[in-house]
Structures are given as C-alpha cells and as structure tokens.
Amino acid sequence: MNHLRQLDIFNPRDFVWPVNIIGLGGIGSAAGLALVKLGISELRLWDNDVLEEHNIPNQLLYRADDIGKPKVTAAFEILKGFNRQLKIQDMGVFDPEVDSSDLDGLVVSALHSMERDSQGREGRNGIWRAV
C-alpha cells in the first residue's frame, strides 16, 4: 500500500510496536480499519464474540456475509484485504489477571462498559489497571 500522502504526519515504517485492540464492536472494528489504512502492520485482536445480525448496521467493518463468524475471524479476513503483509493475532478474551504482560505496544480499549458486563467479561477499568 502506498502511504505517500500521509508521510508528513505518520510514517508506518517508523511505528514498530504491535497494536492491541480490545473489543471489536463499533469502536474497535472502526479503529482496526483506520489503523490498517494508516499502515500499522501488526494487530493483536481481543474479542470472543460472534457477529450477529444486529451488529451489522452499527459496526462499520463487517458485512452481512460475516454473520455467525467470530469477530476476530471476520476482522482478519476484511483487514487482510487492505494489507496482505498484515500480521494479526487472535488473542481471545482479555483477562487482566492473566494477559497484562501481553499488552506491549499501543492499546486501544474499545469495550462497551467501564465495569464487568453481565457475562463477567472485563470492562475498560480492568484494561486501564492492566496497562
């Protein structure tokens, strides 16, 4: 991909860290798309949700054909289309007690709530403490 028009503000060759996106819903999926188009070459994607029909209208990255796929799988397939050299790791669900050592580089906290949700999944406060 040619990033010539953005090199005066961001040169992707100078950015050598992985980017962790925790949550691939409305915010995280859009952030992933923007970061790949900026030229980020390594993403660690944290999400264990599966795409449902109600996700498609408000989560910009996904397509109707992605319904039923894990969000990480759908994101990988779509984002790889923008950068074939892109390195993506499926990190699963984020647990600050276990995974905080994996958060080197940039962290995008894109979870829907500050506290744990009704299913016991971590919220943004847990990510903040882990970082």
Side-chain angles (χ1 to χ4, degrees), residues 73-116:
T73 301
F76 173 83
E77 291 171 359
I78 296 165
L79 296 174
K80 199 73 165 170
F82 291 101
N83 179 355
R84 301 214 189 297
Q85 314 310 308
L86 183 63
K87 179 180 174 188
I88 298 180
Q89 291 179 275
D90 178 351
M91 303 301 288
V93 64
F94 179 75
D95 180 346
E97 303 294 322
V98 177
D99 300 316
S100 60
S101 63
D102 291 327
L103 292 180
D104 59 319
L106 181 71
V107 177
V108 176
S109 175
L111 299 179
H112 52 81
S113 65
M114 293 299 287
E115 304 301 329
R116 288 185 182 272

Side-chain angles (χ1 to χ4, degrees), residues 4-72:
L4 182 63
R5 291 185 148 188
Q6 72 186 33
L7 293 179
D8 56 335
I9 57 169
F10 180 79
N11 187 337
R13 286 179 292 230
D14 295 338
F15 190 87
V16 296
W17 304 279
V19 176
N20 295 273
I21 302 176
I22 304 175
L24 290 170
I27 296 169
S29 62
L33 180 59
L35 289 165
V36 168
K37 287 190 169 208
L38 272 173
I40 298 300
S41 61
E42 183 179 352
L43 295 178
R44 294 180 183 160
L45 305 179
W46 303 79
D47 202 308
N48 69 336
D49 281 346
V50 172
L51 280 159
E52 298 177 41
E53 187 174 0
H54 70 269
N55 297 136
I56 303 304
N58 63 349
Q59 297 180 8
L60 300 176
L61 185 63
Y62 307 115
R63 310 158 296 199
D65 289 346
D66 297 320
I67 295 170
K69 293 180 184 177
K71 288 182 180 180
V72 171

